[in-house]
Amino acid sequence: MLKYVLAIDQGTTSSRAILFDKQGHKVAMASREVKCLYPNEGYVEEDAMEIWISVVDVCNEVLIKSNTTWNQIDSIGITNQRETTVVWDKETGQPVYNAIVWQSRQSSQICDSLLHKKDFIHERTGLLINPYFSASKIRFILDHIENGQQRAENGELLFGTIDTWLIYKMSNGKKHLTDVTNASRTMLYNIFSMRWDKQLLSLFNIPACMLPRVCESSYDYGIASAFNNHVHILGVAGDQQASLFGHCCFESGQSKNTYGTGCFMLMNIGEKPILSKNGLLTTVAWKLNGKTTYALEGSVFIGGASVQWLRDGLKVISDASDSEKQAKKVESSNGVYLVPAFVGLGTPYWDDDVRGALFGVTRATNKYHIIRATLESIAFQSKDVFDVMIKEANINIKSLQVDGGATANNILMQFQSDILQIDVNKPACLETTALGVAYLAGLKSKYYDDLASISDSHECVATYSPKLSKKEVDKLWKGWKCAVKAAMIFKPGEEQ
Ligand code: ADP
């Protein structure tokens, strides 16, 4: 009887359950959308019970679909949208407030009031003070429910990120646990001492009794008794770290970039955390057999979203895949640059006020050049992050692993390889996030032997190698830097 690892990938817009076999092949998948709620300007929330029910549904569906029984499930892995915060009543197991989603800005005032503590926070957590992370979201919830602080101090309330919430529900309320990767995104966890940080807890005035116990990424999190009486949850990791693991970036210097709405780049930096001076985050990549591995993380706000803009805003393409067909109609962007700073620019510019701009337009420019320039802008922005990473980690990188929806675009992938002057590798399984946590779970149960055998079975479907010369690339890169500089000068509301 064949056995599989069941990976649960609880994301912002959907919950998915995927069965993986011994070779890391996807056997079956089920998915459900999760509704986002926008109760106020800048607020993004989700119903934590709906999240849980969607997970129950997809787990059942994937088994039915593939004619698999729970007896054939070796173990369960959970990967999840990070930072999203749930607080629930210990007695009833009911959330006391909606889950506050990572994107939500509703706790920004709390963060503003702690700006003077930004170095203190960075030195402990590797994070930049921002409502994105869980700490200010917990504070917000305690401030917005009746007797929140009192109830928390009395031990009546529990906090969890989505992994913790799902483990709690799957274990019928028996386990209150999280893993090191999720803990490292709360802004309450000290990534140097690898403990909840008392000083941070007192800064946010959050009682320690609300917090889950922190475990390794491959660990026995207990039986998923809500599903079955013998299947254990053996792997847990936040989505970006799970993806790094799913790409088998086990060695220091190995890196991955995910091309979704935005882009998330993570680099394995080994056993010593490095604090960035240019706005990269330092995070825990995983902890295995007592050994912690760290990662640097940088993100591009507008990645695939710029292609959505071509479709919905400019209406020059019919769907995302059309961008490749259209861009192919021209040899190059012919000196046109798009700086897609639709919501400001992140690493290394950190300018919230800069807005998008198009440069180098002549009478010869047509829509195909603009489409091509848009795809190139995703690669240029990724190089901006990449350059800071290699500088700060002082590591030479030979190749980049990629995943995410926009990796379907060959022009983008080729240009990424050209502009970075390294190979870009696309894996056979694009569900790298789920695969990563399947590996973490299967390593614990010995379904997968070890890291070396996982690496051996890892398949790559496409490698893009640089075709442009260094000289051509240097010229293009100079153009990009010049375009960004010019875009940052354009602040019409301000006196020059
Ligand atoms: P997310 O997880 O952020 O929702 P996905 O990994 O599902 O993102 O990827 C969706 C994004 O990828 C969209 O922004 C879309 O515009 C972009 N995308 C999808 N296919 C292509 C393509 N062939 N070429 C360029 N961009 C694409």
Side-chain angles (χ1 to χ4, degrees):
M1 200 173 58
L2 286 174
K3 283 209 160 198
Y4 306 111
V5 175
L6 169 61
I8 296 168
D9 180 357
Q10 204 305 302
T12 317
T13 51
S14 71
S15 298
R16 291 191 281 207
I18 305 180
L19 294 183
F20 288 101
D21 67 11
K22 282 235 174 221
Q23 286 69 44
H25 293 149
K26 182 169 98 179
V27 175
M29 175 167 102
S31 93
R32 283 271 187 294
E33 277 200 19
V34 174
K35 232 188 348 260
C36 270
L37 310 165
Y38 307 98
N40 279 308
E41 173 77 27
Y43 285 43
V44 188
E45 298 181 356
E46 289 182 351
D47 177 347
M49 283 310 270
E50 185 191 330
I51 291 177
W52 161 234
I53 290 163
S54 72
V55 167
V56 174
D57 284 349
V58 291
C59 289
N60 286 325
E61 190 184 325
V62 79
L63 295 188
I64 293 167
K65 235 179 174 171
S66 58
N67 212 2
T68 305
T69 65
W70 279 108
N71 291 335
Q72 287 171 271
I73 300 303
D74 170 84
S75 52
I76 297 176
I78 300 174
T79 180
N80 55 289
Q81 49 170 318
R82 302 174 304 173
E83 298 110 10
T84 297
T85 298
V86 188
V87 176
W88 65 94
D89 185 302
K90 200 175 178 176
E91 196 66 28
T92 64
Q94 288 290 324
V96 295
Y97 197 90
N98 276 334
I100 302 185
V101 175
W102 55 276
Q103 296 157 321
S104 187
R105 315 296 300 170
Q106 69 208 76
S107 55
S108 55
Q109 270 183 8
I110 297 168
C111 292
D112 290 348
S113 72
L114 292 170
L115 269 177
H116 62 290
K117 289 283 191 186
K118 75 179 196 315
D119 292 340
F120 177 86
I121 292 171
H122 186 228
E123 283 156 16
R124 287 168 161 72
T125 63
L127 306 175
L128 302 168
I129 176 90
N130 194 291
Y132 208 91
F133 306 105
S134 314
S136 64
K137 297 182 196 290
I138 306 175
R139 187 64 261 146
F140 181 93
I141 294 175
L142 297 185
D143 289 343
H144 285 79
I145 58 167
E146 222 178 308
N147 298 327
Q149 189 65 22
Q150 195 58 51
R151 289 174 68 194
E153 279 168 18
N154 292 347
E156 294 166 27
L157 302 179
L158 297 178
F159 151 74
T161 39
I162 295 296
D163 54 314
T164 306
W165 170 239
L166 294 179
I167 295 166
Y168 189 80
K169 285 300 195 192
M170 284 161 82
S171 66
N172 285 321
K174 286 198 188 70
K175 302 282 179 183
H176 186 222
L177 306 170
T178 190
D179 94 298
V180 284
T181 68
N182 278 293
S184 74
R185 314 294 295 189
T186 57
M187 198 163 256
L188 297 172
Y189 192 68
N190 188 316
I191 63 165
F192 296 88
S193 67
M194 294 296 279
R195 285 181 205 290
W196 293 121
D197 189 298
K198 285 200 183 104
Q199 285 173 292
L200 289 171
L201 286 172
S202 83
L203 188 67
F204 287 94
N205 197 13
I206 292 171
C209 58
M210 292 184 79
L211 304 178
R213 182 159 66 81
V214 187
C215 308
E216 294 200 0
S217 320
S218 240
Y219 177 81
D220 189 350
Y221 286 81
I223 301 173
S225 43
F227 291 152
N228 176 278
N229 279 331
H230 70 91
V231 180
H232 288 243
I233 305 163
L234 297 185
V236 177
D239 53 9
Q240 297 308 321
Q241 286 94 332
S243 158
L244 189 69
F245 202 80
H247 277 291
C248 300
C249 292
F250 303 143
E251 305 288 327
S252 182
Q254 292 182 320
S255 311
K256 71 96 195 175
N257 197 16
T258 299
Y259 299 78
T261 312
C263 299
F264 284 96
M265 192 180 287
L266 263 76
M267 177 197 274
N268 178 330
I269 53 167
E271 292 172 48
K272 284 212 180 69
I274 300 164
L275 287 178
S276 169
K277 292 184 189 69
N278 292 287
L280 296 173
L281 305 177
T282 311
T283 197
V284 176
W286 48 78
K287 186 174 177 190
L288 285 175
N289 306 318
K291 205 172 87 182
T292 304
T293 299
Y294 294 90
L296 280 177
E297 174 172 330
S299 49
V300 167
F301 300 148
I302 302 290
S306 63
V307 177
Q308 292 166 348
W309 171 73
L310 291 176
R311 185 194 60 194
D312 307 334
L314 284 194
K315 298 195 185 345
V316 289
I317 55 171
S318 53
D319 58 39
S321 65
D322 194 29
S323 63
E324 180 169 350
K325 281 180 236 139
Q326 306 281 357
K328 265 194 184 138
K329 296 194 176 166
V330 287
E331 290 276 301
S332 73
S333 54
N334 204 19
V336 175
Y337 288 87
L338 174 77
V339 181
F342 304 153
V343 290
L345 285 172
T347 314
Y349 310 105
W350 296 106
D351 186 338
D352 283 345
D353 303 322
V354 53
R355 286 295 168 264
L358 196 61
F359 294 98
V361 179
T362 68
R363 277 291 289 269
T365 302
N366 59 41
K367 66 176 178 178
Y368 309 119
H369 295 121
I370 295 174
I371 294 168
R372 201 164 177 122
T374 303
L375 295 175
E376 291 177 357
S377 75
I378 303 173
F380 282 132
Q381 293 179 94
S382 296
K383 179 171 159 64
D384 272 325
V385 175
F386 183 87
D387 282 358
V388 172
M389 276 191 178
I390 52 172
K391 187 168 157 233
E392 295 199 330
N394 197 16
I395 289 174
N396 224 349
I397 296 178
K398 295 185 200 74
S399 63
L400 179 70
Q401 316 303 311
V402 297
D403 64 83
T407 57
N409 195 305
N410 293 301
I411 289 194
L412 168 60
M413 291 298 104
Q414 181 57 49
F415 191 73
Q416 187 70 84
S417 166
D418 282 324
I419 206 76
L420 292 176
Q421 293 280 288
I422 58 170
D423 285 352
V424 166
N425 298 324
K426 196 153 76 173
C429 174
L430 280 176
E431 300 288 349
T432 22
T433 304
L435 180 60
V437 86
Y439 284 155
L440 286 167
L443 278 170
K444 183 73 190 162
S445 67
K446 298 270 183 274
Y447 182 79
Y448 298 116
D449 294 335
D450 50 27
L451 295 185
S453 69
I454 288 176
S455 284
D456 286 348
S457 69
H458 189 70
E459 294 167 24
C460 187
V461 277
T463 295
Y464 302 83
S465 300
K467 286 186 181 154
L468 293 181
S469 71
K470 172 96 174 53
K471 199 166 153 215
E472 287 167 297
V473 168
D474 284 348
K475 190 166 163 230
L476 288 166
W477 185 241
K478 258 196 192 151
W480 167 254
K481 287 298 206 190
C482 179
V484 172
K485 204 165 154 190
M488 286 170 74
I489 292 171
F490 180 73
K491 304 262 167 68
E494 289 175 17
E495 275 180 43
Q496 297 298 319

